[in-house]
Amino acid sequence: MKRECKKIQDKIIDIHYNELSDNAEVISHIENCSDCYTFKKNLKLTLNYMDTLDIDMSDLQVNIAEIIEKAEQIRNKRKDRLELLIFITTSIIFLISSVLFMANLDVRLLLYTQIFLYFNLPLILIPFYKLKTSRR
């Protein structure tokens, strides 16, 4: 579809809802363009059919805020699942590496490494957490 036809079709919709008065440019384009003529004809048929259905439009109200909130909840659930999966994977890797480390090396060295991690890991993770929460 040509860009000009798209603009004209938007104007046809505006004319139908009395948001725009009949324009000579639109009328001449409709007379010369079969796509726009078909669009106007189909729009009129569709709207006439909708009028015969006798649908109560008050029942069809959409709460945009509710839809956006549901989308945010879905996105947050997916994000939480991904973070949980990353946490579980990391924990399993640390557990397996600790077991392998202990099996192949001295237990004292493992103990020193764990003490080092317990005291220093929060110093590394807290800034990352604050950075992450400041982006929200």
Side-chain angles (χ1 to χ4, degrees), residues 79 83 120-136:
K79 186 177 174 186
E83 288 177 356
N120 291 313
L121 202 56
L123 298 175
I124 297 168
L125 294 179
I126 290 173
F128 283 121
Y129 178 74
K130 288 190 176 191
L131 179 68
K132 179 183 171 186
T133 55
S134 68
R135 289 182 183 173
R136 291 182 185 176

Side-chain angles (χ1 to χ4, degrees), residues 81-95:
R81 286 182 193 153
L82 179 65
E83 288 177 356
L84 180 63
L85 180 67
I86 291 171
F87 174 75
I88 290 172
T89 306
T90 308
S91 299
I92 290 172
I93 290 172
F94 276 119
L95 181 64

Side-chain angles (χ1 to χ4, degrees), residues 53-115:
L53 290 178
D54 194 32
I55 298 175
D56 185 17
M57 295 303 257
S58 64
D59 295 339
L60 299 177
Q61 292 180 359
V62 177
N63 188 351
I64 298 296
E66 184 179 314
I67 292 172
I68 291 172
E69 185 178 326
K70 286 181 182 178
E72 284 289 323
Q73 288 174 352
I74 291 170
R75 187 179 64 112
N76 287 337
K77 284 181 183 179
R78 287 182 184 162
K79 186 177 174 186
D80 290 343
R81 286 182 193 153
L82 179 65
E83 288 177 356
L84 180 63
L85 180 67
I86 291 171
F87 174 75
I88 290 172
T89 306
T90 308
S91 299
I92 290 172
I93 290 172
F94 276 119
L95 181 64
I96 291 173
S97 64
S98 297
V99 169
L100 292 174
F101 193 63
M102 189 169 48
N104 294 323
L105 296 175
D106 189 19
V107 176
R108 265 188 16 218
L109 186 59
L110 176 67
L111 183 65
Y112 292 146
T113 306
Q114 285 183 346
I115 291 171

